[in-house]
Amino acid sequence: MGTPEFTQRLDEAVKLAEAGQKEEAEARLRELVAEGARMPKATMALGVICGERGDLLQRRLWLQEARRLEEANGHPLSLRLVLNLIVDALEQGEPQQALDYCEEALALYPGDGEMQLHHAHVLFALGQSGYALSRLQEACTCLRARLQEQPEDVKSWRLLAMAELKAEQVDAAIEAHSRALALDPNHLPSLLGISQLLMGRGRTDEAIPWLINALANAPDQLDAIKLNGYALKIIGDQQQAVELFRKALELDPEDQEAINLLGACLNDLGFFHQAAQAFRDALAINPKDFECRLNLGSALRDFGDTTRALEIFKELLMEMPEAYGAFSNLMFTFSISNLASTEEVLSTARAFWERQGVDPVAPKPSPLYIEGRSLRVGILSADVGSHVVGRFLDPLLRHHDPGVCQLDLISMQRRYEKSSEELIELADGFHSLEGLPMDQAREHLCKQDYDLIVDTSGYTRGSGIHLLAERCAPVQAHYIGYHATTGLSTIDWFIGDEETASPDLQEQFSERLYRLPRTWLAYPITQQPFPQAVPLMQTKRPVLGAFCQVSKITPKTLNFWAAALSSVPEAVLVLKHSGLDDAGIRKYIEERFLDRGVRSDRIIFVSPVAEWRDHVDHYNIIDIALDTTPWSSATTGFEALAMGVPLLAIRGNCMAARMSSSIVKGASRSEWSIEDPREYGRRVANLCEKITELRKNKYVLQKELSKSTIFDGHNLCQLLIQGFRRICKM
């Protein structure tokens, strides 16, 4: 039966389904069928909705009923029904059955682009990729021809977007989605589809208007909520992202993806305890989920539990030896924890890269002839923007002479910040590799014909170091963002200074160490002047301080800090970092201090502030800055000295543990570099004996230190470019 009333109600139900209101649509369709509507389109629509919520058995039953009704009416198999039958067969692991449906339909609809697209999907599932690609090309050709005749055919634009994406023509797919949405701006699958593609291309800011539209049209649609949250996470609005992921979990408390993304946002905000719990909740749903376990390891590391983090990363790498995420997290944790031997670190890296086909003893490059011409250097970075790496790249980019050295910035991931655009303007060229497959990214790098590529990210988030596993330039080096060996035979040099790249550290590196004749970094103070140093604390009690990441507060760090506090019983310690907003972390730190005889009332936690000037102004409330180990101060060390606060560095036996000692030596304060906790306590006590004088001379010390080489970006640039030229000729 197909009365006008039934037909109208069917059309209304289909529109509800297209708008994302699947439950209401299913209820109406079931009413129709129960009332005796023998309409193939109704039973087919029911099958589709059942499949979308995971009920594959119900889907098959309804689709088979739709076929029975069509045949009973003496009609040939409709294209829409056969396409759904193909999808059903594929998703139920029956590719041969799907192929049979294809052949049946191709006889009826030989020139239909949508049919050819589905045929290509089936051929890919059967492993016939060559034939599948030719079918994809035919599908695109047919769809384009149809659109030439009917440019307002929304469905054909959507199908073309799907075909172009399957053919890995992402930009063409984005364009096809755009054309479809220009005709029908509220189609939810297209809104979500174009948003995902734009985000993958590093154009999340362009995706957000589409996503807002999607959410406005379907405020309770789970995918729209999650994708909006993910976009906000990418552009750095973690707080709003958290709210959206929590809304998603109200709709489906067991949505593992939403739980995982919520945990990632909480971790970025510094709520490491809450993040770890979110990842554990996700793992309770699926204990084997690789990404959740990886994220749990990262949260534990950021909280300071590097031992457990190492265990997790090693387990994951053992399960999946070629998993780059597990390997890079393991290497990064090695670099900051000092919990692995040099042999273990190097052998782990060697084994991983060998599995990728990298020669562990790759031949070193021949010296380049670069006399009489400008050196061409590509700086490969995931941190072009408001990140410490971007900050320390500023002096090099700002002061370089293109006639001596041309510097290109190569970005692995976009940072949606004004400072990113400012850095790009300082470079001689800019290239984005975001969203490109590895082969295309490498090909692009090789085409630039660089003499030297300098990686600045190592094994940190978003790094492109894997691209350099195959040579993209005659000479490849690392500088700035990582504090240990890459273990990659195609990275020739590691650039540091006499302290961070000391000859006694060479055995820890597969790279050759190049030592600059000065501190390896310079803090840029000319573009963002520090406020005047003023002693704000009126108490007679000495105020010690550390504005460091929570992950740096290791047991060894606490031993040094406890020695300092024990040597000056009246002193207090001010700690400031976003992670300290987590009550669980504050409690953990207080308990560790109690274990070392330091009462909790001597520890003061200060919430971080958003603005940089307000952040550095907090140094006016402390008298002495304490260091961390084995991951020592870098940015915070420069900032303390720039604010006229003595930094007592802890000198260790690896590169990560030598950064602070390099900084104080560059400031001509070698006496502030200390190796033993007891001596550390004595030095703190000596300074505290002169607390009145120290506070009175805070501005004097600020002016004096501001003239040291650690704030001389021009000098660093000259010596660094000289170093670039030298390593290319060695």
Side-chain angles (χ1 to χ4, degrees):
M1 297 173 62
T3 68
E5 180 198 350
F6 281 167
T7 301
Q8 181 181 349
R9 288 166 62 188
L10 172 59
D11 290 342
E12 290 171 354
V14 169
K15 286 179 181 177
L16 285 170
E18 289 175 347
Q21 299 178 48
K22 301 296 175 67
E23 289 185 13
E24 177 64 21
E26 182 176 354
R28 294 196 184 189
L29 289 168
R30 287 186 182 276
E31 284 177 6
L32 275 174
V33 173
E35 292 173 22
R38 295 172 57 80
M39 304 170 72
K41 187 176 179 181
T43 53
M44 180 176 65
L46 262 175
V48 170
I49 291 174
C50 289
E52 287 176 348
R53 59 176 168 78
D55 192 339
L56 303 188
L57 177 60
Q58 282 284 310
R59 176 176 67 185
R60 174 157 291 188
L61 289 172
W62 285 117
L63 292 179
Q64 293 293 352
E65 175 64 8
R67 177 167 192 162
R68 189 187 67 78
L69 289 172
E70 284 194 354
E71 290 172 344
N73 292 333
H75 297 150
L77 197 63
S78 67
L79 177 61
R80 181 55 40 203
L81 177 56
V82 75
L83 294 176
N84 281 308
L85 288 168
I86 291 168
V87 170
D88 177 65
L90 278 178
E91 291 187 358
Q92 302 225 36
E94 302 169 359
Q96 189 57 53
Q97 177 62 63
L99 185 61
D100 292 342
Y101 286 137
C102 285
E103 291 172 353
E104 185 178 358
L106 284 168
L108 295 169
Y109 310 100
D112 187 87
E114 185 175 11
M115 185 60 248
Q116 290 168 337
L117 175 58
H118 276 70
H119 191 200
H121 281 297
V122 173
L123 292 169
F124 276 120
L126 288 166
Q128 301 177 30
S129 56
Y131 189 16
L133 287 170
S134 68
R135 273 297 180 190
L136 270 180
Q137 291 170 358
E138 289 178 30
C140 290
T141 300
C142 289
L143 290 166
R144 291 192 197 104
R146 183 174 179 180
L147 286 163
Q148 289 245 336
E149 299 173 2
Q150 302 177 47
E152 295 188 0
D153 183 352
V154 180
K155 181 180 176 183
S156 291
W157 282 117
R158 291 172 186 152
L159 291 170
L160 181 59
M162 293 170 60
E164 297 284 18
L165 180 60
K166 189 68 178 176
E168 298 185 354
Q169 301 300 313
V170 176
D171 292 333
I174 291 172
E175 174 61 24
H177 271 308
S178 298
R179 297 292 295 270
L181 286 164
L183 297 166
D184 180 9
N186 297 322
H187 185 252
L188 188 62
S190 294
L191 289 167
L192 299 182
I194 193 172
S195 299
Q196 288 177 307
L197 294 178
L198 288 168
M199 290 161 68
R201 272 286 191 253
R203 296 159 61 184
T204 302
D205 53 338
E206 296 176 45
I208 284 178
W210 298 117
L211 288 170
I212 292 172
N213 191 22
L215 206 55
N217 280 282
D220 293 326
Q221 211 276 344
L222 195 57
D223 288 338
I225 294 170
K226 289 193 295 184
L227 203 54
N228 265 279
Y230 188 51
L232 290 168
K233 180 183 185 302
I234 289 174
I235 66 171
D237 191 347
Q238 313 293 349
Q239 197 59 59
Q240 281 200 65
V242 164
E243 293 173 10
L244 282 171
F245 293 133
R246 284 181 170 150
K247 181 180 179 182
L249 290 169
E250 289 175 7
L251 296 172
D252 183 357
E254 294 198 349
D255 188 305
Q256 189 177 15
E257 182 182 37
I259 300 172
N260 192 28
L261 287 168
L262 172 63
C265 289
L266 290 170
N267 205 60
D268 289 344
L269 288 167
F271 294 104
F272 305 130
H273 260 180
Q274 294 181 40
Q277 187 56 54
F279 298 134
R280 290 188 180 102
D281 290 344
L283 289 169
I285 299 168
N286 180 6
K288 293 295 184 183
D289 187 276
F290 191 90
E291 185 177 0
C292 282
R293 291 159 67 198
L294 194 65
N295 285 340
L296 176 59
S298 297
L300 292 172
R301 178 187 62 213
D302 293 343
F303 167 66
D305 190 353
T306 49
T307 300
R308 178 59 186 138
L310 283 172
E311 290 173 358
I312 290 174
F313 298 141
K314 288 178 182 180
E315 289 168 3
L316 293 172
L317 193 60
M318 188 172 294
E319 291 175 21
M320 295 182 64
E322 296 190 3
Y324 180 76
F327 167 68
S328 59
N329 271 280
L330 179 59
M331 290 293 288
F332 179 73
T333 312
F334 279 156
S335 76
I336 64 170
S337 65
N338 208 18
L339 293 176
S341 66
T342 294
E343 181 181 1
E344 182 181 3
V345 174
L346 290 171
S347 64
T348 298
R350 190 181 306 115
F352 177 82
W353 291 117
E354 280 187 42
R355 286 191 292 270
Q356 311 305 310
V358 179
D359 185 348
V361 287
K364 298 302 178 187
S366 301
L368 297 180
Y369 183 76
I370 53 176
E371 300 303 327
R373 69 173 177 86
S374 178
L375 190 71
R376 285 188 47 77
V377 178
I379 301 173
L380 179 65
S381 183
D383 305 304
V384 179
S386 296
H387 184 278
V388 292
V389 169
R391 186 178 303 161
F392 286 116
L393 278 173
D394 181 285
L396 172 63
L397 293 166
R398 188 173 299 278
H399 297 294
H400 81 284
D401 179 354
V404 177
C405 180
Q406 296 178 39
L407 296 176
D408 283 6
L409 275 177
I410 308 158
S411 176
M412 288 302 300
Q413 60 180 11
R414 182 175 174 188
R415 298 180 69 92
Y416 294 84
E417 303 153 344
K418 181 182 177 182
S419 57
S420 177
E421 301 305 317
E422 292 171 348
L423 283 173
I424 289 168
E425 286 190 12
L426 295 174
D428 299 310
F430 175 73
H431 308 270
S432 174
L433 303 183
E434 185 166 14
L436 290 181
M438 189 183 300
D439 290 346
Q440 290 182 31
R442 279 188 179 137
E443 181 182 3
H444 183 85
L445 280 180
C446 292
K447 282 182 178 178
Q448 306 313 309
D449 198 26
Y450 294 123
D451 300 305
L452 167 67
I453 291 179
V454 179
D455 163 66
T456 71
S457 302
Y459 292 113
T460 59
R461 186 186 301 182
S463 170
I465 196 170
H466 55 283
L467 298 175
L468 305 186
E470 292 181 15
R471 281 203 179 274
C472 299
V475 184
Q476 301 184 152
H478 176 82
Y479 172 63
I480 294 185
Y482 191 62
H483 321 303
T485 183
T486 66
L488 184 54
S489 60
T490 54
I491 302 294
D492 309 300
W493 293 92
F494 209 107
I495 299 172
D497 56 34
E498 293 291 341
E499 187 71 4
T500 60
S502 173
D504 67 296
L505 300 180
Q506 179 63 73
E507 65 175 12
Q508 299 177 16
F509 287 81
S510 60
E511 306 86 352
R512 295 171 69 184
L513 297 179
Y514 181 81
R515 287 174 281 280
L516 293 168
R518 51 149 293 143
T519 302
W520 89 115
L521 298 176
Y523 197 104
I525 59 172
T526 53
Q527 277 62 53
Q528 197 171 24
F530 280 79
Q532 182 173 329
V534 179
L536 296 179
M537 294 300 283
Q538 301 302 314
T539 177
K540 293 182 179 179
R541 303 179 70 180
V543 182
L544 315 179
F547 298 168
C548 61
Q549 297 179 47
V550 170
S551 53
K552 293 188 175 188
I553 307 177
T554 63
K556 194 170 182 180
T557 294
L558 290 168
N559 291 340
F560 276 84
W561 290 359
L565 289 164
S566 297
S567 69
V568 189
E570 68 275 20
V572 295
L573 174 62
V574 175
L575 300 177
K576 179 166 76 73
H577 182 255
S578 59
L580 297 171
D581 284 343
D582 190 321
I585 291 175
R586 293 198 301 271
K587 181 181 178 183
Y588 175 84
I589 290 173
E590 288 174 342
E591 288 174 349
R592 301 291 82 74
F593 269 117
L594 282 172
D595 292 342
R596 291 164 173 80
V598 179
R599 300 187 317 274
S600 59
D601 61 359
R602 299 182 64 192
I603 312 301
I604 301 171
F605 299 103
V606 177
S607 294
V609 289
E611 295 298 324
W612 174 84
R613 190 176 181 86
D614 293 332
H615 157 65
V616 294
D617 195 50
H618 273 82
Y619 283 99
N620 282 326
I621 69 173
I622 67 173
D623 301 310
I624 301 167
L626 302 187
D627 193 17
T628 55
T629 191
W631 191 5
S632 63
S633 304
T635 305
T636 54
F638 281 101
E639 290 171 347
L641 296 174
M643 290 301 296
V645 177
L647 167 68
L648 288 189
I650 303 171
R651 188 176 189 268
N653 59 358
C654 62
M655 178 176 279
R658 297 275 181 92
M659 296 186 293
S660 56
S661 54
S662 171
I663 294 168
V664 296
K665 288 179 180 180
S668 300
R669 290 294 190 278
S670 296
E671 69 274 15
W672 290 347
S673 176
I674 306 150
E675 299 183 12
D676 176 70
R678 283 191 222 173
E679 180 60 23
Y680 200 76
R682 282 194 290 270
R683 296 290 181 88
V684 170
N686 289 342
L687 285 172
C688 288
E689 287 174 0
K690 307 171 185 176
I691 200 70
T692 302
E693 183 181 349
L694 196 63
R695 290 173 178 174
K696 180 181 178 181
N697 292 324
K698 200 165 199 173
Y699 179 62
V700 175
L701 183 61
Q702 181 186 40
K703 294 291 287 183
E704 180 184 335
L705 294 176
S706 69
K707 297 174 183 177
S708 65
T709 59
I710 62 173
F711 299 110
D712 189 342
H714 185 268
N715 173 260
L716 171 71
C717 176
Q718 287 184 315
L719 293 174
L720 190 53
I721 288 176
Q722 286 178 20
F724 288 167
R725 296 185 71 90
R726 283 175 181 163
I727 64 177
C728 285
K729 294 191 292 184
M730 293 172 70

